Amino acid sequence: MGSLKRIKLTLLKFLYNTNYQFCYYIFHPRPKRVTFATIRNTQLVDNLKQLYETFEKKGDYELKIFCFHYDRSSKSRLQFFWVSLTAVYYIATSHLFIIDDYFFPLYSLNKHKQNVVIQLWHAIGTLKKIGLSLPNASDSVIKPHTNYDWVVVNTQEDRQAYVDAFDIKKSQALPLGSPMLDTLAKTTTSLAPNHKKRLLYSPTYRTDDANQVRTAVDALISAAPTLNDNWEIYISIHPYVNMKKNIQDLPKNIHLFQDPALVKRLMQTVDAFITDYSSLLLNFSYFERPILLFTPDYQDYAKQQGFYVDYLQYLNAPNFQTAPAMIDFINNKLPKINLDYVRQLKQKNFPKQDGRNSDRVYQFLTSINRYGEQKL
């Protein structure tokens, strides 16, 4: 890390923490204030949305929302600096502060135990490494993924990976089920007869921004005209990827978008899901439809990011290094594909299908006293 960046982070850490301590002692934590915060989107989606609605229906709480779409552009970085001061105020004055991803200002704080922070991580399963499991993740002046009191995970098997990723005790990883899966439990798994065929492609986020993503997307678009049938193709770009320079001249059957809420709604309507390393494939396994892997940079990604599992063996899904090979598979083998590998993924990642994950999380969080001393 360069000396200039270290100085900048040191100043930010001082500024955020000073603001936090001021707000804490002047305005004080409010026992009924619950704040839902994200920098992934301009509105609550998935776990946060589901749990917010549960709090709204079941409890008498002062509910606050902090949303900002951070896409790593220069404009976004500058805007986030100012709005993050508001976020620090909400941390200081909330009894429960609930997030779903990386939340930079939080990691600068000498947090008081009266402010209880819950990480509702936006993804299920433990495929690619995240957080402090990544190489050199804890070397920064501001150590990421700290100050979590509780982390909600989907299954018992997920707990150890999140312990490693977030530097918490195993007792702090709560296998209560992912709230966003409650919606799937109420969703039909069958497609309408004579529906129009749809593919959904969702490449994951990479630290080198849009370069790898753009290359893969271009390859799929170039190969798409060789599809035998009249497919509609939906391409979902990760919310952190800066795609301001849109890919031009898209065919009418190809739809490029950047909306985490839309990709979840589309899942129930598509015939097959394509990704490289996105955990969304685990969500999609619920529908028991084909999952294909398009991983032209697998060796590099495995070296730089890493996995908690033997990725290709764990998924046992058809895997392709080139777009033409994948299109050929879709044309000739997809209609007769054996879906046992998808059913096995569903069995591993959906142990609770009662639609009550959000209720379980709500019941636990509302049992915590204002000093955060509740134990599992």
Side-chain angles (χ1 to χ4, degrees), residues 104-213:
F104 179 68
L106 173 66
Y107 313 133
S108 303
L109 311 180
N110 296 324
K111 189 179 74 68
H112 299 278
K113 63 180 180 179
Q114 288 88 346
N115 304 126
V116 181
V117 175
I118 299 93
Q119 173 62 265
L120 272 189
W121 197 246
H122 58 278
I124 65 170
T126 50
L127 298 176
K128 63 186 178 187
K129 289 186 176 180
I130 59 173
L132 297 171
S133 299
L134 296 172
N136 306 315
S138 60
D139 292 347
S140 175
V141 172
I142 301 177
K143 182 181 177 181
H145 296 296
T146 54
N147 280 330
Y148 300 156
D149 294 283
W150 304 102
V151 176
V152 175
V153 303
N154 192 44
T155 70
Q156 286 281 356
E157 290 71 24
D158 293 334
R159 296 175 77 187
Q160 187 56 53
Y162 284 89
V163 167
D164 297 339
F166 298 149
D167 194 21
I168 57 174
K169 298 177 182 176
K170 198 166 187 177
S171 60
Q172 293 173 274
L174 311 173
L176 301 174
S178 183
M180 65 181 172
L181 300 184
D182 291 347
T183 303
L184 286 181
K186 304 169 187 175
T187 304
T188 178
T189 58
S190 59
L191 292 168
N194 302 318
H195 66 281
K196 191 162 189 175
K197 290 187 176 182
R198 290 178 163 188
L199 288 173
L200 175 58
Y201 172 47
S202 182
T204 197
Y205 170 71
R206 289 164 174 76
T207 55
D208 62 354
D209 205 7
N211 294 330
Q212 287 286 352
V213 174

Side-chain angles (χ1 to χ4, degrees), residues 13 31 34 62 66 155 202 249 272 296 298 322:
K13 184 175 183 179
V34 181
E62 179 193 358
F66 173 89
T155 70
S202 182
D249 302 322
Y298 177 76
T322 68

Side-chain angles (χ1 to χ4, degrees), residues 18-243:
T18 300
N19 185 41
Y20 168 74
Q21 301 301 336
F22 175 83
C23 293
Y24 178 86
Y25 287 110
I26 297 300
F27 300 108
H28 308 293
R30 302 180 186 180
K32 286 287 189 176
R33 175 170 286 184
V34 181
T35 298
F36 296 79
T38 185
I39 59 173
R40 290 174 56 81
N41 208 338
T42 55
Q43 60 185 342
L44 298 182
V45 298
D46 300 335
N47 284 329
L48 289 182
K49 182 176 185 290
Q50 188 74 35
L51 188 59
Y52 178 90
E53 291 174 353
T54 301
F55 266 86
E56 199 171 35
K57 290 176 185 176
K58 291 179 174 287
D60 178 22
Y61 291 90
E62 179 193 358
L63 303 180
K64 297 293 182 180
I65 296 174
F66 173 89
C67 294
F68 182 83
H69 180 203
Y70 180 60
D71 64 9
R72 296 183 179 268
S73 65
S74 298
K75 181 180 178 182
S76 180
R77 290 173 190 269
L78 185 60
Q79 289 175 329
F80 182 65
F81 170 73
W82 292 110
V83 300
S84 62
L85 297 177
T86 302
V88 170
Y89 164 79
Y90 279 126
I91 298 172
T93 59
S94 297
H95 167 43
L96 301 177
F97 189 80
I98 306 173
I99 59 178
D100 68 342
D101 204 340
Y102 181 85
F103 204 85
F104 179 68
L106 173 66
Y107 313 133
S108 303
L109 311 180
N110 296 324
K111 189 179 74 68
H112 299 278
K113 63 180 180 179
Q114 288 88 346
N115 304 126
V116 181
V117 175
I118 299 93
Q119 173 62 265
L120 272 189
W121 197 246
H122 58 278
I124 65 170
T126 50
L127 298 176
K128 63 186 178 187
K129 289 186 176 180
I130 59 173
L132 297 171
S133 299
L134 296 172
N136 306 315
S138 60
D139 292 347
S140 175
V141 172
I142 301 177
K143 182 181 177 181
H145 296 296
T146 54
N147 280 330
Y148 300 156
D149 294 283
W150 304 102
V151 176
V152 175
V153 303
N154 192 44
T155 70
Q156 286 281 356
E157 290 71 24
D158 293 334
R159 296 175 77 187
Q160 187 56 53
Y162 284 89
V163 167
D164 297 339
F166 298 149
D167 194 21
I168 57 174
K169 298 177 182 176
K170 198 166 187 177
S171 60
Q172 293 173 274
L174 311 173
L176 301 174
S178 183
M180 65 181 172
L181 300 184
D182 291 347
T183 303
L184 286 181
K186 304 169 187 175
T187 304
T188 178
T189 58
S190 59
L191 292 168
N194 302 318
H195 66 281
K196 191 162 189 175
K197 290 187 176 182
R198 290 178 163 188
L199 288 173
L200 175 58
Y201 172 47
S202 182
T204 197
Y205 170 71
R206 289 164 174 76
T207 55
D208 62 354
D209 205 7
N211 294 330
Q212 287 286 352
V213 174
R214 188 180 299 278
T215 298
V217 169
D218 283 340
L220 178 60
I221 292 173
S222 297
T226 61
L227 283 165
N228 288 344
D229 294 319
N230 186 23
W231 290 84
E232 292 290 315
I233 301 175
Y234 295 85
I235 302 175
S236 170
I237 304 300
H238 192 281
Y240 285 171
V241 173
N242 182 10
M243 292 287 285

